[in-house]
PDB file of all heavy atoms in Angstrom:
ATOM      1  N   LYS Z   1      77.638 -22.121-103.020  1.00 97.00           N
ATOM      2  CA  LYS Z   1      78.260 -22.825-101.902  1.00 97.00           C
ATOM      3  C   LYS Z   1      79.686 -22.284-101.717  1.00 97.00           C
ATOM      4  O   LYS Z   1      80.293 -21.793-102.673  1.00 97.00           O
ATOM      5  CB  LYS Z   1      78.327 -24.322-102.195  1.00 97.00           C
ATOM      6  CG  LYS Z   1      76.998 -24.963-102.527  1.00 97.00           C
ATOM      7  CD  LYS Z   1      77.190 -26.416-102.921  1.00 97.00           C
ATOM      8  CE  LYS Z   1      75.877 -27.076-103.283  1.00 97.00           C
ATOM      9  NZ  LYS Z   1      76.064 -28.494-103.692  1.00 97.00           N
ATOM     10  N   PRO Z   2      80.236 -22.407-100.523  1.00 97.00           N
ATOM     11  CA  PRO Z   2      81.626 -21.954-100.318  1.00 97.00           C
ATOM     12  C   PRO Z   2      82.599 -22.599-101.298  1.00 97.00           C
ATOM     13  O   PRO Z   2      83.573 -21.958-101.709  1.00 97.00           O
ATOM     14  CB  PRO Z   2      81.907 -22.365 -98.869  1.00 97.00           C
ATOM     15  CG  PRO Z   2      80.572 -22.319 -98.209  1.00 97.00           C
ATOM     16  CD  PRO Z   2      79.601 -22.788 -99.245  1.00 97.00           C
ATOM     17  N   GLU Z   3      82.342 -23.833-101.694  1.00 96.00           N
ATOM     18  CA  GLU Z   3      83.241 -24.504-102.637  1.00 96.00           C
ATOM     19  C   GLU Z   3      83.155 -23.954-104.052  1.00 96.00           C
ATOM     20  O   GLU Z   3      83.945 -24.346-104.921  1.00 96.00           O
ATOM     21  CB  GLU Z   3      82.996 -26.019-102.647  1.00 96.00           C
ATOM     22  CG  GLU Z   3      81.557 -26.427-102.817  1.00 96.00           C
ATOM     23  CD  GLU Z   3      80.861 -26.707-101.493  1.00 96.00           C
ATOM     24  OE1 GLU Z   3      81.052 -25.932-100.527  1.00 96.00           O
ATOM     25  OE2 GLU Z   3      80.112 -27.717-101.435  1.00 96.00           O
ATOM     26  N   ASP Z   4      82.227 -23.054-104.307  1.00 98.00           N
ATOM     27  CA  ASP Z   4      82.162 -22.371-105.599  1.00 98.00           C
ATOM     28  C   ASP Z   4      83.123 -21.184-105.661  1.00 98.00           C
ATOM     29  O   ASP Z   4      83.280 -20.559-106.716  1.00 98.00           O
ATOM     30  CB  ASP Z   4      80.740 -21.858-105.874  1.00 98.00           C
ATOM     31  CG  ASP Z   4      79.738 -22.983-106.050  1.00 98.00           C
ATOM     32  OD1 ASP Z   4      80.078 -23.981-106.710  1.00 98.00           O
ATOM     33  OD2 ASP Z   4      78.611 -22.847-105.535  1.00 98.00           O
ATOM     34  N   THR Z   5      83.749 -20.872-104.540  1.00 98.00           N
ATOM     35  CA  THR Z   5      84.700 -19.768-104.503  1.00 98.00           C
ATOM     36  C   THR Z   5      85.863 -20.022-105.450  1.00 98.00           C
ATOM     37  O   THR Z   5      86.518 -21.061-105.377  1.00 98.00           O
ATOM     38  CB  THR Z   5      85.234 -19.566-103.071  1.00 98.00           C
ATOM     39  OG1 THR Z   5      84.152 -19.165-102.217  1.00 98.00           O
ATOM     40  CG2 THR Z   5      86.330 -18.517-103.037  1.00 98.00           C
ATOM     41  N   ALA Z   6      86.094 -19.092-106.357  1.00 98.00           N
ATOM     42  CA  ALA Z   6      87.140 -19.244-107.379  1.00 98.00           C
ATOM     43  C   ALA Z   6      87.193 -17.989-108.229  1.00 98.00           C
ATOM     44  O   ALA Z   6      86.315 -17.123-108.140  1.00 98.00           O
ATOM     45  CB  ALA Z   6      86.853 -20.450-108.271  1.00 98.00           C
ATOM     46  N   THR Z   7      88.211 -17.924-109.074  1.00 98.00           N
ATOM     47  CA  THR Z   7      88.219 -16.948-110.149  1.00 98.00           C
ATOM     48  C   THR Z   7      87.540 -17.588-111.342  1.00 98.00           C
ATOM     49  O   THR Z   7      87.918 -18.701-111.737  1.00 98.00           O
ATOM     50  CB  THR Z   7      89.646 -16.523-110.504  1.00 98.00           C
ATOM     51  OG1 THR Z   7      90.274 -15.953-109.350  1.00 98.00           O
ATOM     52  CG2 THR Z   7      89.630 -15.496-111.625  1.00 98.00           C
ATOM     53  N   TYR Z   8      86.570 -16.902-111.898  1.00 98.00           N
ATOM     54  CA  TYR Z   8      85.799 -17.425-113.023  1.00 98.00           C
ATOM     55  C   TYR Z   8      86.273 -16.772-114.312  1.00 98.00           C
ATOM     56  O   TYR Z   8      86.399 -15.542-114.391  1.00 98.00           O
ATOM     57  CB  TYR Z   8      84.310 -17.174-112.807  1.00 98.00           C
ATOM     58  CG  TYR Z   8      83.708 -18.140-111.812  1.00 98.00           C
ATOM     59  CD1 TYR Z   8      84.024 -18.054-110.458  1.00 98.00           C
ATOM     60  CD2 TYR Z   8      82.850 -19.152-112.220  1.00 98.00           C
ATOM     61  CE1 TYR Z   8      83.496 -18.955-109.537  1.00 98.00           C
ATOM     62  CE2 TYR Z   8      82.308 -20.057-111.314  1.00 98.00           C
ATOM     63  CZ  TYR Z   8      82.645 -19.947-109.966  1.00 98.00           C
ATOM     64  OH  TYR Z   8      82.118 -20.840-109.060  1.00 98.00           O
ATOM     65  N   TYR Z   9      86.501 -17.616-115.313  1.00 98.00           N
ATOM     66  CA  TYR Z   9      87.007 -17.166-116.599  1.00 98.00           C
ATOM     67  C   TYR Z   9      86.016 -17.480-117.716  1.00 98.00           C
ATOM     68  O   TYR Z   9      85.500 -18.601-117.799  1.00 98.00           O
ATOM     69  CB  TYR Z   9      88.330 -17.847-116.927  1.00 98.00           C
ATOM     70  CG  TYR Z   9      89.456 -17.522-115.978  1.00 98.00           C
ATOM     71  CD1 TYR Z   9      89.684 -18.293-114.850  1.00 98.00           C
ATOM     72  CD2 TYR Z   9      90.291 -16.428-116.216  1.00 98.00           C
ATOM     73  CE1 TYR Z   9      90.719 -17.991-113.975  1.00 98.00           C
ATOM     74  CE2 TYR Z   9      91.326 -16.117-115.348  1.00 98.00           C
ATOM     75  CZ  TYR Z   9      91.529 -16.900-114.229  1.00 98.00           C
ATOM     76  OH  TYR Z   9      92.548 -16.593-113.364  1.00 98.00           O
ATOM     77  N   CYS Z  10      85.844 -16.522-118.558  1.00 98.00           N
ATOM     78  CA  CYS Z  10      85.067 -16.691-119.783  1.00 98.00           C
ATOM     79  C   CYS Z  10      86.038 -17.073-120.899  1.00 98.00           C
ATOM     80  O   CYS Z  10      87.185 -16.593-120.915  1.00 98.00           O
ATOM     81  CB  CYS Z  10      84.377 -15.364-120.088  1.00 98.00           C
ATOM     82  SG  CYS Z  10      83.653 -15.208-121.693  1.00 98.00           S
ATOM     83  N   ALA Z  11      85.595 -17.912-121.827  1.00 98.00           N
ATOM     84  CA  ALA Z  11      86.463 -18.326-122.929  1.00 98.00           C
ATOM     85  C   ALA Z  11      85.651 -18.469-124.211  1.00 98.00           C
ATOM     86  O   ALA Z  11      84.444 -18.733-124.160  1.00 98.00           O
ATOM     87  CB  ALA Z  11      87.144 -19.646-122.592  1.00 98.00           C
ATOM     88  N   ALA Z  12      86.356 -18.314-125.330  1.00 97.00           N
ATOM     89  CA  ALA Z  12      85.718 -18.409-126.646  1.00 97.00           C
ATOM     90  C   ALA Z  12      86.522 -19.340-127.542  1.00 97.00           C
ATOM     91  O   ALA Z  12      87.753 -19.332-127.513  1.00 97.00           O
ATOM     92  CB  ALA Z  12      85.613 -17.026-127.293  1.00 97.00           C
ATOM     93  N   THR Z  13      85.804 -20.123-128.333  1.00 96.00           N
ATOM     94  CA  THR Z  13      86.462 -21.023-129.276  1.00 96.00           C
ATOM     95  C   THR Z  13      85.796 -20.958-130.636  1.00 96.00           C
ATOM     96  O   THR Z  13      84.559 -20.951-130.740  1.00 96.00           O
ATOM     97  CB  THR Z  13      86.453 -22.471-128.770  1.00 96.00           C
ATOM     98  OG1 THR Z  13      87.065 -23.309-129.759  1.00 96.00           O
ATOM     99  CG2 THR Z  13      85.042 -22.991-128.510  1.00 96.00           C
ATOM    100  N   SER Z  14      86.627 -20.941-131.672  1.00 94.00           N
ATOM    101  CA  SER Z  14      86.109 -21.038-133.037  1.00 94.00           C
ATOM    102  C   SER Z  14      86.131 -22.485-133.503  1.00 94.00           C
ATOM    103  O   SER Z  14      85.667 -22.802-134.598  1.00 94.00           O
ATOM    104  CB  SER Z  14      86.959 -20.183-133.981  1.00 94.00           C
ATOM    105  OG  SER Z  14      88.285 -20.675-134.039  1.00 94.00           O
ATOM    106  N   ARG Z  15      86.650 -23.372-132.663  1.00 91.00           N
ATOM    107  CA  ARG Z  15      86.828 -24.781-133.009  1.00 91.00           C
ATOM    108  C   ARG Z  15      85.642 -25.615-132.541  1.00 91.00           C
ATOM    109  O   ARG Z  15      85.795 -26.558-131.766  1.00 91.00           O
ATOM    110  CB  ARG Z  15      88.111 -25.300-132.372  1.00 91.00           C
ATOM    111  CG  ARG Z  15      89.350 -24.515-132.754  1.00 91.00           C
ATOM    112  CD  ARG Z  15      90.505 -24.857-131.862  1.00 91.00           C
ATOM    113  NE  ARG Z  15      91.674 -24.039-132.148  1.00 91.00           N
ATOM    114  CZ  ARG Z  15      92.693 -23.899-131.321  1.00 91.00           C
ATOM    115  NH1 ARG Z  15      92.690 -24.539-130.160  1.00 91.00           N
ATOM    116  NH2 ARG Z  15      93.709 -23.136-131.647  1.00 91.00           N
ATOM    117  N   SER Z  16      84.474 -25.216-132.967  1.00 86.00           N
ATOM    118  CA  SER Z  16      83.294 -25.944-132.531  1.00 86.00           C
ATOM    119  C   SER Z  16      82.260 -25.963-133.639  1.00 86.00           C
ATOM    120  O   SER Z  16      82.208 -25.048-134.453  1.00 86.00           O
ATOM    121  CB  SER Z  16      82.697 -25.309-131.267  1.00 86.00           C
ATOM    122  OG  SER Z  16      82.215 -24.009-131.537  1.00 86.00           O
ATOM    123  N   TYR Z  17      81.446 -26.994-133.651  1.00 86.00           N
ATOM    124  CA  TYR Z  17      80.321 -27.046-134.563  1.00 86.00           C
ATOM    125  C   TYR Z  17      79.184 -26.206-133.999  1.00 86.00           C
ATOM    126  O   TYR Z  17      79.135 -25.924-132.807  1.00 86.00           O
ATOM    127  CB  TYR Z  17      79.865 -28.486-134.771  1.00 86.00           C
ATOM    128  CG  TYR Z  17      80.888 -29.345-135.448  1.00 86.00           C
ATOM    129  CD1 TYR Z  17      81.620 -30.295-134.739  1.00 86.00           C
ATOM    130  CD2 TYR Z  17      81.157 -29.197-136.808  1.00 86.00           C
ATOM    131  CE1 TYR Z  17      82.577 -31.072-135.358  1.00 86.00           C
ATOM    132  CE2 TYR Z  17      82.112 -29.974-137.433  1.00 86.00           C
ATOM    133  CZ  TYR Z  17      82.813 -30.905-136.714  1.00 86.00           C
ATOM    134  OH  TYR Z  17      83.761 -31.665-137.329  1.00 86.00           O
ATOM    135  N   ILE Z  18      78.270 -25.828-134.848  1.00 85.00           N
ATOM    136  CA  ILE Z  18      77.260 -24.844-134.465  1.00 85.00           C
ATOM    137  C   ILE Z  18      76.384 -25.303-133.303  1.00 85.00           C
ATOM    138  O   ILE Z  18      75.924 -24.486-132.505  1.00 85.00           O
ATOM    139  CB  ILE Z  18      76.404 -24.439-135.681  1.00 85.00           C
ATOM    140  CG1 ILE Z  18      75.539 -23.228-135.329  1.00 85.00           C
ATOM    141  CG2 ILE Z  18      75.571 -25.623-136.181  1.00 85.00           C
ATOM    142  CD1 ILE Z  18      74.945 -22.532-136.526  1.00 85.00           C
ATOM    143  N   ASN Z  19      76.177 -26.600-133.161  1.00 88.00           N
ATOM    144  CA  ASN Z  19      75.321 -27.097-132.088  1.00 88.00           C
ATOM    145  C   ASN Z  19      76.065 -27.953-131.076  1.00 88.00           C
ATOM    146  O   ASN Z  19      75.454 -28.791-130.405  1.00 88.00           O
ATOM    147  CB  ASN Z  19      74.146 -27.889-132.669  1.00 88.00           C
ATOM    148  CG  ASN Z  19      73.125 -26.978-133.317  1.00 88.00           C
ATOM    149  OD1 ASN Z  19      72.796 -25.912-132.783  1.00 88.00           O
ATOM    150  ND2 ASN Z  19      72.631 -27.375-134.475  1.00 88.00           N
ATOM    151  N   SER Z  20      77.368 -27.743-130.962  1.00 92.00           N
ATOM    152  CA  SER Z  20      78.179 -28.553-130.045  1.00 92.00           C
ATOM    153  C   SER Z  20      78.929 -27.682-129.052  1.00 92.00           C
ATOM    154  O   SER Z  20      79.900 -27.013-129.424  1.00 92.00           O
ATOM    155  CB  SER Z  20      79.177 -29.396-130.840  1.00 92.00           C
ATOM    156  OG  SER Z  20      78.521 -30.305-131.695  1.00 92.00           O
ATOM    157  N   PRO Z  21      78.509 -27.694-127.800  1.00 93.00           N
ATOM    158  CA  PRO Z  21      79.293 -26.974-126.781  1.00 93.00           C
ATOM    159  C   PRO Z  21      80.599 -27.702-126.511  1.00 93.00           C
ATOM    160  O   PRO Z  21      80.683 -28.930-126.663  1.00 93.00           O
ATOM    161  CB  PRO Z  21      78.379 -26.994-125.562  1.00 93.00           C
ATOM    162  CG  PRO Z  21      77.480 -28.157-125.773  1.00 93.00           C
ATOM    163  CD  PRO Z  21      77.317 -28.305-127.242  1.00 93.00           C
ATOM    164  N   VAL Z  22      81.613 -26.955-126.097  1.00 93.00           N
ATOM    165  CA  VAL Z  22      82.960 -27.499-125.901  1.00 93.00           C
ATOM    166  C   VAL Z  22      83.338 -27.416-124.434  1.00 93.00           C
ATOM    167  O   VAL Z  22      83.317 -26.341-123.834  1.00 93.00           O
ATOM    168  CB  VAL Z  22      83.970 -26.717-126.752  1.00 93.00           C
ATOM    169  CG1 VAL Z  22      85.392 -27.228-126.505  1.00 93.00           C
ATOM    170  CG2 VAL Z  22      83.619 -26.821-128.233  1.00 93.00           C
ATOM    171  N   SER Z  23      83.718 -28.554-123.858  1.00 94.00           N
ATOM    172  CA  SER Z  23      84.073 -28.575-122.444  1.00 94.00           C
ATOM    173  C   SER Z  23      85.576 -28.624-122.197  1.00 94.00           C
ATOM    174  O   SER Z  23      86.024 -28.403-121.070  1.00 94.00           O
ATOM    175  CB  SER Z  23      83.406 -29.761-121.754  1.00 94.00           C
ATOM    176  OG  SER Z  23      83.871 -30.975-122.301  1.00 94.00           O
ATOM    177  N   LEU Z  24      86.359 -28.912-123.209  1.00 95.00           N
ATOM    178  CA  LEU Z  24      87.811 -29.047-123.044  1.00 95.00           C
ATOM    179  C   LEU Z  24      88.480 -27.682-123.089  1.00 95.00           C
ATOM    180  O   LEU Z  24      88.376 -26.967-124.096  1.00 95.00           O
ATOM    181  CB  LEU Z  24      88.381 -29.945-124.133  1.00 95.00           C
ATOM    182  CG  LEU Z  24      87.872 -31.383-124.134  1.00 95.00           C
ATOM    183  CD1 LEU Z  24      88.443 -32.150-125.330  1.00 95.00           C
ATOM    184  CD2 LEU Z  24      88.248 -32.084-122.838  1.00 95.00           C
ATOM    185  N   LYS Z  25      89.191 -27.328-122.024  1.00 95.00           N
ATOM    186  CA  LYS Z  25      89.786 -25.990-121.978  1.00 95.00           C
ATOM    187  C   LYS Z  25      90.838 -25.789-123.049  1.00 95.00           C
ATOM    188  O   LYS Z  25      91.044 -24.645-123.507  1.00 95.00           O
ATOM    189  CB  LYS Z  25      90.368 -25.708-120.593  1.00 95.00           C
ATOM    190  CG  LYS Z  25      91.472 -26.631-120.135  1.00 95.00           C
ATOM    191  CD  LYS Z  25      91.849 -26.335-118.692  1.00 95.00           C
ATOM    192  CE  LYS Z  25      92.884 -27.333-118.183  1.00 95.00           C
ATOM    193  NZ  LYS Z  25      93.154 -27.183-116.747  1.00 95.00           N
ATOM    194  N   ASN Z  26      91.497 -26.861-123.480  1.00 96.00           N
ATOM    195  CA  ASN Z  26      92.533 -26.716-124.504  1.00 96.00           C
ATOM    196  C   ASN Z  26      91.961 -26.363-125.875  1.00 96.00           C
ATOM    197  O   ASN Z  26      92.706 -25.997-126.781  1.00 96.00           O
ATOM    198  CB  ASN Z  26      93.355 -27.994-124.607  1.00 96.00           C
ATOM    199  CG  ASN Z  26      94.223 -28.220-123.384  1.00 96.00           C
ATOM    200  OD1 ASN Z  26      94.467 -27.295-122.613  1.00 96.00           O
ATOM    201  ND2 ASN Z  26      94.669 -29.439-123.193  1.00 96.00           N
ATOM    202  N   MET Z  27      90.648 -26.493-126.030  1.00 96.00           N
ATOM    203  CA  MET Z  27      90.013 -26.143-127.292  1.00 96.00           C
ATOM    204  C   MET Z  27      89.719 -24.646-127.393  1.00 96.00           C
ATOM    205  O   MET Z  27      89.351 -24.163-128.452  1.00 96.00           O
ATOM    206  CB  MET Z  27      88.714 -26.920-127.446  1.00 96.00           C
ATOM    207  CG  MET Z  27      88.902 -28.417-127.621  1.00 96.00           C
ATOM    208  SD  MET Z  27      89.624 -28.821-129.213  1.00 96.00           S
ATOM    209  CE  MET Z  27      88.244 -28.456-130.309  1.00 96.00           C
ATOM    210  N   TYR Z  28      89.858 -23.943-126.295  1.00 97.00           N
ATOM    211  CA  TYR Z  28      89.526 -22.518-126.277  1.00 97.00           C
ATOM    212  C   TYR Z  28      90.749 -21.679-126.608  1.00 97.00           C
ATOM    213  O   TYR Z  28      91.818 -21.863-126.040  1.00 97.00           O
ATOM    214  CB  TYR Z  28      88.956 -22.123-124.917  1.00 97.00           C
ATOM    215  CG  TYR Z  28      87.535 -22.587-124.748  1.00 97.00           C
ATOM    216  CD1 TYR Z  28      87.253 -23.873-124.273  1.00 97.00           C
ATOM    217  CD2 TYR Z  28      86.466 -21.763-125.094  1.00 97.00           C
ATOM    218  CE1 TYR Z  28      85.945 -24.314-124.150  1.00 97.00           C
ATOM    219  CE2 TYR Z  28      85.155 -22.194-124.960  1.00 97.00           C
ATOM    220  CZ  TYR Z  28      84.902 -23.476-124.481  1.00 97.00           C
ATOM    221  OH  TYR Z  28      83.604 -23.910-124.363  1.00 97.00           O
ATOM    222  N   GLU Z  29      90.548 -20.736-127.533  1.00 96.00           N
ATOM    223  CA  GLU Z  29      91.653 -19.907-128.008  1.00 96.00           C
ATOM    224  C   GLU Z  29      91.756 -18.591-127.259  1.00 96.00           C
ATOM    225  O   GLU Z  29      92.830 -17.999-127.187  1.00 96.00           O
ATOM    226  CB  GLU Z  29      91.448 -19.599-129.494  1.00 96.00           C
ATOM    227  CG  GLU Z  29      91.343 -20.823-130.376  1.00 96.00           C
ATOM    228  CD  GLU Z  29      90.314 -20.616-131.466  1.00 96.00           C
ATOM    229  OE1 GLU Z  29      89.107 -20.818-131.208  1.00 96.00           O
ATOM    230  OE2 GLU Z  29      90.724 -20.248-132.580  1.00 96.00           O
ATOM    231  N   TYR Z  30      90.631 -18.109-126.751  1.00 97.00           N
ATOM    232  CA  TYR Z  30      90.610 -16.774-126.161  1.00 97.00           C
ATOM    233  C   TYR Z  30      90.036 -16.848-124.749  1.00 97.00           C
ATOM    234  O   TYR Z  30      89.046 -17.565-124.508  1.00 97.00           O
ATOM    235  CB  TYR Z  30      89.771 -15.814-127.012  1.00 97.00           C
ATOM    236  CG  TYR Z  30      90.225 -15.752-128.446  1.00 97.00           C
ATOM    237  CD1 TYR Z  30      89.545 -16.447-129.439  1.00 97.00           C
ATOM    238  CD2 TYR Z  30      91.351 -15.009-128.804  1.00 97.00           C
ATOM    239  CE1 TYR Z  30      89.975 -16.410-130.751  1.00 97.00           C
ATOM    240  CE2 TYR Z  30      91.785 -14.964-130.115  1.00 97.00           C
ATOM    241  CZ  TYR Z  30      91.092 -15.667-131.087  1.00 97.00           C
ATOM    242  OH  TYR Z  30      91.510 -15.626-132.384  1.00 97.00           O
ATOM    243  N   TRP Z  31      90.641 -16.061-123.860  1.00 98.00           N
ATOM    244  CA  TRP Z  31      90.257 -16.061-122.452  1.00 98.00           C
ATOM    245  C   TRP Z  31      90.115 -14.639-121.935  1.00 98.00           C
ATOM    246  O   TRP Z  31      90.861 -13.735-122.341  1.00 98.00           O
ATOM    247  CB  TRP Z  31      91.308 -16.787-121.618  1.00 98.00           C
ATOM    248  CG  TRP Z  31      91.384 -18.249-121.927  1.00 98.00           C
ATOM    249  CD1 TRP Z  31      92.071 -18.834-122.953  1.00 98.00           C
ATOM    250  CD2 TRP Z  31      90.733 -19.304-121.232  1.00 98.00           C
ATOM    251  NE1 TRP Z  31      91.888 -20.193-122.928  1.00 98.00           N
ATOM    252  CE2 TRP Z  31      91.072 -20.518-121.876  1.00 98.00           C
ATOM    253  CE3 TRP Z  31      89.900 -19.355-120.116  1.00 98.00           C
ATOM    254  CZ2 TRP Z  31      90.596 -21.758-121.446  1.00 98.00           C
ATOM    255  CZ3 TRP Z  31      89.433 -20.579-119.686  1.00 98.00           C
ATOM    256  CH2 TRP Z  31      89.777 -21.763-120.347  1.00 98.00           C
ATOM    257  N   GLY Z  32      89.158 -14.465-121.017  1.00 97.00           N
ATOM    258  CA  GLY Z  32      89.048 -13.197-120.320  1.00 97.00           C
ATOM    259  C   GLY Z  32      90.036 -13.129-119.176  1.00 97.00           C
ATOM    260  O   GLY Z  32      90.794 -14.074-118.919  1.00 97.00           O
ATOM    261  N   GLN Z  33      90.007 -11.999-118.478  1.00 96.00           N
ATOM    262  CA  GLN Z  33      90.969 -11.767-117.411  1.00 96.00           C
ATOM    263  C   GLN Z  33      90.547 -12.419-116.096  1.00 96.00           C
ATOM    264  O   GLN Z  33      91.359 -12.531-115.172  1.00 96.00           O
ATOM    265  CB  GLN Z  33      91.173 -10.260-117.203  1.00 96.00           C
ATOM    266  CG  GLN Z  33      90.108  -9.560-116.368  1.00 96.00           C
ATOM    267  CD  GLN Z  33      88.787  -9.375-117.108  1.00 96.00           C
ATOM    268  OE1 GLN Z  33      88.658  -9.672-118.292  1.00 96.00           O
ATOM    269  NE2 GLN Z  33      87.791  -8.858-116.389  1.00 96.00           N
ATOM    270  N   GLY Z  34      89.320 -12.837-116.006  1.00 97.00           N
ATOM    271  CA  GLY Z  34      88.816 -13.489-114.807  1.00 97.00           C
ATOM    272  C   GLY Z  34      88.092 -12.530-113.888  1.00 97.00           C
ATOM    273  O   GLY Z  34      88.397 -11.336-113.831  1.00 97.00           O
ATOM    274  N   THR Z  35      87.119 -13.056-113.159  1.00 97.00           N
ATOM    275  CA  THR Z  35      86.399 -12.278-112.163  1.00 97.00           C
ATOM    276  C   THR Z  35      86.253 -13.144-110.907  1.00 97.00           C
ATOM    277  O   THR Z  35      85.937 -14.328-110.991  1.00 97.00           O
ATOM    278  CB  THR Z  35      85.032 -11.809-112.694  1.00 97.00           C
ATOM    279  OG1 THR Z  35      84.406 -10.943-111.745  1.00 97.00           O
ATOM    280  CG2 THR Z  35      84.090 -12.964-113.009  1.00 97.00           C
ATOM    281  N   GLN Z  36      86.508 -12.544-109.759  1.00 98.00           N
ATOM    282  CA  GLN Z  36      86.532 -13.296-108.510  1.00 98.00           C
ATOM    283  C   GLN Z  36      85.129 -13.473-107.953  1.00 98.00           C
ATOM    284  O   GLN Z  36      84.355 -12.508-107.855  1.00 98.00           O
ATOM    285  CB  GLN Z  36      87.413 -12.578-107.480  1.00 98.00           C
ATOM    286  CG  GLN Z  36      87.478 -13.258-106.130  1.00 98.00           C
ATOM    287  CD  GLN Z  36      88.184 -14.616-106.189  1.00 98.00           C
ATOM    288  OE1 GLN Z  36      89.148 -14.789-106.934  1.00 98.00           O
ATOM    289  NE2 GLN Z  36      87.705 -15.573-105.397  1.00 98.00           N
ATOM    290  N   VAL Z  37      84.832 -14.705-107.554  1.00 98.00           N
ATOM    291  CA  VAL Z  37      83.592 -15.017-106.852  1.00 98.00           C
ATOM    292  C   VAL Z  37      83.971 -15.627-105.507  1.00 98.00           C
ATOM    293  O   VAL Z  37      84.704 -16.617-105.457  1.00 98.00           O
ATOM    294  CB  VAL Z  37      82.723 -16.004-107.654  1.00 98.00           C
ATOM    295  CG1 VAL Z  37      81.535 -16.473-106.813  1.00 98.00           C
ATOM    296  CG2 VAL Z  37      82.241 -15.347-108.946  1.00 98.00           C
TER     297      VAL Z  37
END
């Protein structure tokens, strides 16, 4: 949808349990440079 227009960033966190996805951006330590959609 047009409202999906944004820069999309990939992120990685070591602060997670093996079966728990993390939704809080402050928990992520590493970020990519972003890709425009």
Side-chain angles (χ1 to χ4, degrees):
K1 304 175 181 179
E3 50 264 43
D4 294 319
T5 295
T7 301
Y8 283 71
Y9 296 90
C10 168
T13 178
S14 64
R15 303 167 184 163
S16 65
Y17 295 106
I18 191 165
N19 287 318
S20 298
V22 177
S23 63
L24 298 176
K25 61 186 175 187
N26 291 342
M27 293 290 289
Y28 284 86
E29 302 142 277
Y30 305 101
W31 294 83
Q33 81 286 355
T35 186
Q36 178 67 37
V37 172

